[in-house]
């Protein structure tokens, strides 16, 4: 999918009642800053019940039904809005995911990603501009209390 050069671009997974999984337990959403782009600038997301070990994994949080929402805000004037923004949707076997351009993510890398999300969520919830403990210089420091 493309971000359409929007000022904001994001995606979210939710259950059939449109309730999103807990952001402190599941990687069920991404924005442009959190997602890894493909070499051509588009984005590929992988919805799966178990971590496939690649970037942009959307955790289904144990759900077998639900919705994927995509949001573009602040699109440039004249942008053609429609199906062209989502280029392809495919169901692939896990072993075929290696054919994507997405980088591998180790279990410790995934833990760091989730910790980072929790810290970012805390920043939003508190309105603080100061990074919480364990989050410095755009990197997560894993500590016993942050795990």
């Amino acid at each position: 999918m493309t971000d359409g050069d929007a000022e904001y671009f994001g995606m979210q997974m939710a259950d059939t009642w449109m309730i999103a999984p807990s952001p402190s337990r599941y990687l069920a959403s991404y924005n442009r800053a959190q997602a890894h782009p493909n070499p051509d600038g588009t984005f590929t997301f992988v919805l799966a019940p178990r971590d496939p070990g690649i970037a942009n994994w959307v955790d289904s949080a144990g759900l077998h039904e639900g919705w994927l929402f995509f949001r573009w805000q602040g699109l440039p004037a004249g942008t053609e809005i429609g199906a062209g923004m989502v280029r392809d949707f495919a169901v692939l076997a896990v072993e075929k995911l290696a054919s994507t351009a997405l980088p591998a993510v180790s279990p410790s890398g995934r833990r760091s990603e989730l910790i980072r999300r929790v810290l970012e969520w805390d920043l939003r919830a508190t309105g603080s501009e100061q990074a919480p403990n364990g989050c410095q210089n755009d990197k997560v420091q894993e500590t016993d209390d942050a795990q």
Side-chain angles (χ1 to χ4, degrees):
M1 73 177 335
T2 177
D3 67 6
D5 293 324
E7 291 177 27
Y8 174 84
F9 157 75
M11 64 79 51
Q12 171 73 54
M13 193 278 300
D15 67 17
T16 54
W17 296 277
M18 298 185 184
I19 299 171
S22 168
S24 64
R25 295 186 58 210
Y26 303 100
L27 294 170
S29 66
Y30 283 90
N31 62 38
R32 183 185 295 118
Q34 296 165 330
H36 284 274
N38 296 318
D40 66 358
T42 62
F43 293 87
T44 298
F45 296 99
V46 178
L47 175 65
R50 288 182 305 279
D51 187 350
I54 61 173
N56 299 348
W57 169 50
V58 181
D59 188 343
S60 68
L63 300 173
H64 298 284
E65 294 181 10
W67 300 94
L68 285 178
F69 298 95
F70 300 94
R71 183 170 57 182
W72 297 264
Q73 292 177 281
L75 285 164
T79 300
E80 190 174 326
I81 300 171
M85 296 179 85
V86 178
R87 289 192 331 200
D88 194 13
F89 179 87
V91 176
L92 299 174
V94 172
E95 51 275 358
K96 296 219 177 196
L97 291 175
S99 67
T100 70
L102 296 172
V105 176
S106 68
S108 65
R110 192 69 78 200
R111 279 191 304 276
S112 292
E113 183 179 7
L114 186 56
I115 290 167
R116 176 85 186 162
R117 293 289 190 90
V118 170
L119 296 172
E120 289 169 346
W121 184 259
D122 288 347
L123 283 173
R124 286 176 54 192
T126 63
S128 171
E129 292 187 23
Q130 182 176 5
N133 289 336
C135 185
Q136 299 156 347
N137 298 328
D138 212 26
K139 291 191 173 35
V140 174
Q141 308 297 320
E142 287 194 49
T143 60
D144 290 336
D145 60 334
Q147 292 180 359

